[in-house]
Amino acid sequence: MDILPIFLFIQTLYTLHLADGLVTQIPLPKNLYDCLDQKSDNTSTIPSRTIQSFCISNFVETTATWSTNITDPNVRNYITSLLRGVVREAELDDPSRQKRQVFGGPVRREVRAAPYQYNWRQYALAVRRLKNSFSVRQDTNNYDVIAGIHSGSTLGPAHQGPNFLGWHRIYLLILEQALGTTIPYWDSSLDFAMDDPVNTILFTARYFGNGFGFITNGPFANLPGRPILRNIGSDGTLISKQAIASVLSRTRHAEIVEPSTAGTVQYSLEAHHNGPHVWVDGTLASLASAAYDPIFFCHHAFIDYIWEQFRRRIPNAEADYPPTNVAGHEPFRFMNFGEFPFAPRVRTSEAYSARYARLRSYQPAPSCPRCADSPDLVCNTDTGICESRVAPPQMRMQAPAARGAAGAASIAGFTAQVVSAPDEVEADTPERAQNAVAQTGPLAAGPKFVSPFRDGRTRGGSIPVAPADPSLIRGKRSVVGEINKNQLNSVKTNQQTVHSVNNFVGQNKREMPYQNSFIINGKSDINQWVFMPVKVVYMQSSGASIDPIKSLNLHIDHDTHMSNSTVYKSLEKIPNKPNPAVYDRCSHITAGPDRVFVESDGINYSGRYKDYAKIDPFRPVSSSFTYIGIKKPSNESSIEALITAYDTCGRVCKAKCLVFGSRPPVYKSCAGSIMADTRFPLMYGRTYNEAMRDLWILWESTSRGINNRNIPVMFVCDRDTSLPWYHV
């Protein structure tokens, strides 16, 4: 018997560290592809990652399973009485039933608009009263009872469809019935216009309270009920004037709601609405917990204000309700606010009518030169628009979260009552949010909003989430100490820290490691993840001005520009392609990015993993590696996942999948959707270290290098304007 083939086979296994675990490409899910195809009509101005992220988030949300929330009879009676109050108010103010003409109900003003004591302070005091009232349940304050409506079975009929606008309009009116006052709207474009929105005066004790960690000052600190966690400026975006103008440029509701007939998220009001949810992060970032932060209602009042400007331009807005087969959003369907059998019913299309719109009117958004007479707004004479004032440094000093009394709010003026010594206070910085997560584990709030838009000034480092706490879904009382601290023990952080001195696009002066929550199907468990290597090849634009030699002020006789094909003839083979659309903050940058993000999203499981590969911005062509997590396959079932990559300016990279068995390795264009199972050979590692070990051949003194046959997916980022989902 010839033993040579057997010997070679065994030697190959040893050299490559192969074991069971095959990764192969599969088709993109049809509903995900249909969304990408529908939204791809306007890619000349919309970054491709904006489109891709929006469709992935829609796909993930439609596969989620929601549970029924509130069943307590006292809660049912309370919510029913509030709904009756809303409907009764609409009937009393209906001009068709009376001889008088109604020009608008109570006025909603911008949060910072004067007078402070009758606008913001009045709302904040009313919220405090609700938070301190337990007339409905002994274990849940009245505000949290209302916040609990925005969870469970109501989330589907309230999002990703045309009922999004009307449902939240009625929801605002429900809270106002309980408050006895109007909700001021948060015009986040006033903060977006700042050099750095994180420095806005809103996130101080005068208004919303601190922006990082659990709230320790301001009107909402130290109140009973679910604690509020924030981490402003990590991801997403606030709403810009340009975004508002895009929405208002349309003429039909079908163009500004989901699924939009405009073919792009640029005009989708719901898509723009997601940005501030993600930007504030923490409690506000997850669908089931968002309403527990009182900022939620101020943000949605602004969305309602934008919609009302649009709605008034349509002669018969109720008849303009878009036809749809999205479950819970169909025309004339009764809205779902929970299981309240004796509550009055409001139809989806009815909320588009003037009957409910006339119940509230809006003071116009602050404008130059007076900026709503607010001392906390300033007119920028260069741009001609109002901006928020920057918070003075002393207003950004917070009491440590562990000492609740130190951050207590004063009823008189909501000023921080710091009773500890000066050396015991701390700056309101992102570290406060990270420390809070380190103490409590991932936020038990369930799936997050996903913003298709991202402000280039955001820094990364969003708060990880765990499955929604059952007490949150039911609207029960909770405190920080009740969050499951054991979850942190099963969460391991990839401690890859990058140091750089160059200020290229997306690069922060102080980079933080990317933290993943390792949640699979609602459970945080690193043992349920495996890791596979991903290669990234990045090609800089032909117009990039990158010359590392000249940057050293050396005198060189010839042109050393590394992208100069006249000097370097081999570069003539690189095609000269037009630059695709980028995020607004990248439009004036000619140098390349220094990172490419790689992300996995489960197709037949619920889970997301994200990391990045470092790119050399000084080279015309650069390659790098990273490792991406996917759910661990079992002998009984394979897993399916979508792997995507994009640079810090929103340009999506093209996936290439390994042709199994090719020698040398050959890669073929693919959608990035893969299937992994336990079959031979190994193409992933059971741990992060194992994936790294199997990629790099380090144990052979004569053949050290890269094992290319162990890389199932690679990405080519070539700045081509064509979209990767059409290259399959």
XYZ file of all heavy atoms in Angstrom, residues 581-624:
348
model
N -20.617 58.289 -3.366
C -21.099 59.220 -2.342
C -20.541 58.833 -0.981
O -20.327 57.657 -0.679
C -22.627 59.213 -2.315
N -20.290 59.845 -0.146
C -19.731 59.629 1.185
C -20.566 60.397 2.207
O -21.424 61.202 1.854
C -18.258 60.084 1.263
C -17.396 59.237 0.346
C -18.130 61.566 0.911
N -20.298 60.143 3.484
C -20.931 60.915 4.534
C -20.551 62.387 4.380
O -19.475 62.729 3.890
C -20.490 60.426 5.916
C -20.887 59.005 6.245
C -20.024 58.159 6.943
C -22.128 58.493 5.867
C -20.382 56.853 7.262
C -22.495 57.196 6.180
C -21.621 56.373 6.868
O -21.988 55.091 7.173
N -21.437 63.263 4.844
C -21.223 64.699 4.665
C -19.874 65.154 5.182
O -19.202 65.976 4.565
C -22.335 65.486 5.365
C -23.689 65.331 4.674
O -23.687 64.910 3.497
O -24.718 65.613 5.307
N -19.461 64.626 6.308
C -18.225 65.086 6.934
C -16.983 64.617 6.197
O -15.881 65.023 6.528
C -18.162 64.595 8.383
C -19.291 65.152 9.244
C -19.131 66.648 9.466
N -20.305 67.225 10.111
C -20.411 68.499 10.441
N -19.439 69.334 10.188
N -21.518 68.946 11.005
N -17.126 63.747 5.203
C -15.982 63.244 4.443
C -15.858 63.898 3.074
O -14.909 63.627 2.344
C -16.108 61.731 4.243
S -16.089 60.779 5.775
N -16.817 64.734 2.717
C -16.881 65.239 1.346
C -15.686 66.108 0.961
O -15.341 66.215 -0.208
C -18.181 66.031 1.145
O -18.240 67.104 2.070
N -15.032 66.741 1.941
C -13.928 67.639 1.628
C -12.566 67.009 1.890
O -11.536 67.663 1.755
C -14.045 68.911 2.487
C -13.900 68.650 3.957
N -14.887 68.028 4.691
C -12.881 68.898 4.815
C -14.484 67.928 5.954
N -13.269 68.439 6.054
N -12.537 65.725 2.252
C -11.282 65.060 2.586
C -10.740 64.354 1.349
O -11.458 63.635 0.662
C -11.489 64.033 3.716
C -12.080 64.729 4.946
C -10.173 63.358 4.071
C -11.176 65.762 5.567
N -9.455 64.548 1.043
C -8.845 63.881 -0.102
C -8.032 62.658 0.315
O -7.841 61.744 -0.473
C -7.925 64.846 -0.870
O -6.938 65.373 0.029
C -8.735 65.989 -1.460
N -7.524 62.642 1.530
C -6.762 61.488 1.995
C -7.711 60.336 2.315
O -8.911 60.516 2.481
C -5.960 61.861 3.240
N -7.135 59.139 2.418
C -7.960 57.962 2.631
C -8.256 57.713 4.092
O -7.673 58.329 4.984
N -9.179 56.787 4.377
C -9.506 56.435 5.759
C -8.430 55.527 6.340
O -7.575 55.016 5.619
C -10.837 55.693 5.603
C -10.739 55.071 4.255
C -9.975 56.048 3.402
N -8.483 55.315 7.633
C -7.507 54.426 8.256
C -8.155 53.168 8.820
O -7.484 52.371 9.440
C -6.753 55.159 9.375
C -7.631 55.428 10.591
O -8.861 55.495 10.420
O -7.089 55.573 11.697
N -9.476 52.991 8.606
C -10.167 51.803 9.097
C -11.232 51.346 8.106
O -11.842 52.169 7.439
C -10.837 52.090 10.439
C -9.922 52.170 11.622
C -10.678 52.515 12.887
N -11.205 53.870 12.855
C -11.980 54.386 13.794
N -12.344 53.653 14.817
N -12.407 55.625 13.711
N -11.446 50.051 8.079
C -12.588 49.463 7.386
C -13.321 48.595 8.407
O -12.731 47.704 9.023
C -12.159 48.615 6.175
C -13.343 47.797 5.646
C -11.608 49.502 5.063
N -14.597 48.898 8.616
C -15.407 48.127 9.559
C -15.922 46.863 8.880
O -16.340 46.891 7.715
C -16.585 48.957 10.061
C -16.181 50.082 10.974
C -16.059 51.375 10.496
C -15.913 49.832 12.312
C -15.682 52.407 11.331
C -15.539 50.862 13.160
C -15.417 52.154 12.673
N -15.910 45.775 9.611
C -16.458 44.503 9.137
C -17.509 44.060 10.143
O -17.277 44.115 11.359
C -15.367 43.436 8.979
C -15.973 42.150 8.424
C -14.248 43.929 8.068
N -18.669 43.633 9.648
C -19.801 43.326 10.527
C -20.459 42.033 10.086
O -20.545 41.731 8.891
C -20.799 44.479 10.469
C -22.053 44.301 11.295
C -22.954 45.527 11.192
O -22.523 46.608 11.630
O -24.062 45.410 10.650
N -20.927 41.260 11.052
C -21.727 40.065 10.747
C -23.109 40.236 11.360
O -23.241 40.735 12.481
C -21.069 38.797 11.306
O -21.159 38.755 12.718
N -24.142 39.851 10.610
C -25.523 39.853 11.094
C -26.127 38.484 10.828
O -26.014 37.948 9.713
C -26.347 40.928 10.378
C -25.983 42.328 10.826
O -26.499 42.757 11.866
O -25.179 42.989 10.145
N -26.762 37.920 11.851
C -27.348 36.603 11.688
C -28.522 36.604 10.728
O -29.342 37.523 10.736
N -28.594 35.579 9.901
C -29.739 35.391 9.003
C -30.736 34.422 9.623
O -31.937 34.682 9.655
C -29.268 34.892 7.617
C -28.449 35.985 6.913
C -30.471 34.490 6.748
C -27.889 35.558 5.569
N -30.228 33.297 10.139
C -31.123 32.349 10.804
C -30.901 32.318 12.315
O -31.261 31.373 12.998
C -30.985 30.954 10.203
C -29.603 30.352 10.445
O -28.681 31.051 10.876
N -29.463 29.068 10.156
N -30.296 33.367 12.829
C -30.161 33.554 14.268
C -30.115 35.052 14.538
O -29.939 35.865 13.622
C -28.894 32.878 14.815
C -27.597 33.487 14.332
C -26.953 34.509 15.037
C -26.991 33.036 13.156
C -25.766 35.062 14.601
C -25.801 33.579 12.710
C -25.188 34.596 13.433
O -24.005 35.149 12.986
N -30.289 35.452 15.787
C -30.247 36.859 16.163
C -28.911 37.153 16.831
O -28.606 36.631 17.901
C -31.399 37.197 17.129
O -31.314 38.543 17.560
N -28.098 37.969 16.178
C -26.797 38.299 16.726
C -26.009 39.168 15.764
O -26.135 39.030 14.541
N -25.207 40.062 16.322
C -24.371 40.953 15.502
C -22.980 41.051 16.121
O -22.836 41.091 17.345
C -24.991 42.344 15.405
C -24.064 43.401 14.781
C -24.786 44.703 14.548
N -25.771 44.580 13.487
C -26.641 45.525 13.152
N -26.651 46.665 13.811
N -27.505 45.338 12.167
N -21.975 41.082 15.255
C -20.591 41.246 15.699
C -19.932 42.259 14.770
O -20.195 42.274 13.567
C -19.838 39.916 15.639
C -18.473 39.952 16.289
C -18.294 39.551 17.605
C -17.349 40.388 15.584
C -17.052 39.581 18.219
C -16.098 40.430 16.181
C -15.950 40.019 17.498
O -14.710 40.061 18.095
N -19.078 43.106 15.349
C -18.458 44.159 14.553
C -17.034 44.394 15.023
O -16.750 44.377 16.217
C -19.277 45.459 14.680
C -18.809 46.603 13.791
C -19.766 47.783 13.952
C -19.354 48.968 13.095
N -20.283 50.113 13.247
N -16.130 44.585 14.057
C -14.753 44.954 14.361
C -14.216 45.729 13.166
O -14.962 45.998 12.214
C -13.905 43.720 14.651
C -12.819 44.010 15.680
O -12.280 45.137 15.678
O -12.503 43.115 16.488
N -12.952 46.082 13.198
C -12.416 46.826 12.074
C -11.002 46.384 11.747
O -10.282 45.838 12.581
C -12.450 48.337 12.330
C -11.672 48.821 13.531
C -10.313 49.098 13.447
C -12.310 49.034 14.744
C -9.607 49.560 14.537
C -11.613 49.500 15.847
C -10.255 49.760 15.739
O -9.562 50.220 16.827
N -10.624 46.586 10.488
C -9.268 46.328 10.012
C -8.568 47.662 9.814
O -9.160 48.613 9.290
C -9.301 45.539 8.695
N -7.317 47.749 10.215
C -6.546 48.968 10.041
C -6.031 49.070 8.608
O -5.557 48.095 8.031
C -5.365 49.008 11.007
C -5.766 49.242 12.450
C -6.302 50.642 12.671
C -5.221 51.689 12.487
N -5.746 53.066 12.742
N -6.145 50.264 8.037
C -5.700 50.530 6.672
C -4.594 51.581 6.708
O -4.663 52.539 7.487
C -6.876 51.024 5.802
C -7.950 49.942 5.717
C -6.416 51.429 4.420
C -7.486 48.650 5.080
N -3.590 51.404 5.870
C -2.510 52.377 5.780
C -2.932 53.497 4.834
O -3.023 53.289 3.617
C -1.237 51.710 5.261
C -0.023 52.634 5.335
O -0.226 53.857 5.474
O 1.117 52.133 5.247
N -3.208 54.691 5.335
C -3.691 55.769 4.463
C -2.605 56.360 3.565
O -2.892 57.193 2.715
C -4.198 56.814 5.473
C -3.385 56.581 6.693
C -3.120 55.107 6.747
N -1.344 55.914 3.750
C -0.249 56.447 2.936
C 0.021 55.618 1.686
O 0.892 55.962 0.902
C 1.039 56.511 3.771
C 0.991 57.553 4.845
C 1.146 57.201 6.176
C 0.790 58.881 4.533
C 1.101 58.164 7.168
C 0.739 59.850 5.518
C 0.903 59.492 6.840
N -0.675 54.512 1.528
C -0.401 53.634 0.387
C -1.558 53.655 -0.611
O -2.712 53.698 -0.211
C -0.165 52.196 0.859
C 1.032 52.033 1.783
C 1.180 50.592 2.240
N 2.288 50.440 3.171
C 3.544 50.207 2.796
N 3.830 50.103 1.510
N 4.494 50.077 3.703
N -1.261 53.582 -1.896
C -2.341 53.524 -2.891
C -3.143 52.232 -2.782
O -4.327 52.203 -3.057
C -1.610 53.628 -4.224
C -0.212 53.191 -3.940
C 0.087 53.608 -2.529
N -2.481 51.136 -2.389
C -3.150 49.862 -2.173
C -2.662 49.314 -0.839
O -1.457 49.272 -0.576
C -2.861 48.851 -3.291
C -3.596 47.537 -3.016
C -3.268 49.402 -4.638
N -3.589 48.926 0.009
C -3.245 48.429 1.331
C -4.104 47.224 1.648
O -5.246 47.133 1.194
C -3.465 49.534 2.378
O -3.212 49.069 3.682
N -3.571 46.288 2.411
C -4.350 45.124 2.827
C -4.173 44.911 4.323
O -3.157 45.298 4.914
C -3.929 43.861 2.068
O -2.597 43.509 2.389
N -5.175 44.299 4.916
C -5.156 44.061 6.346
C -6.090 42.906 6.664
O -6.821 42.423 5.791
C -5.590 45.334 7.093
O -5.514 45.157 8.487
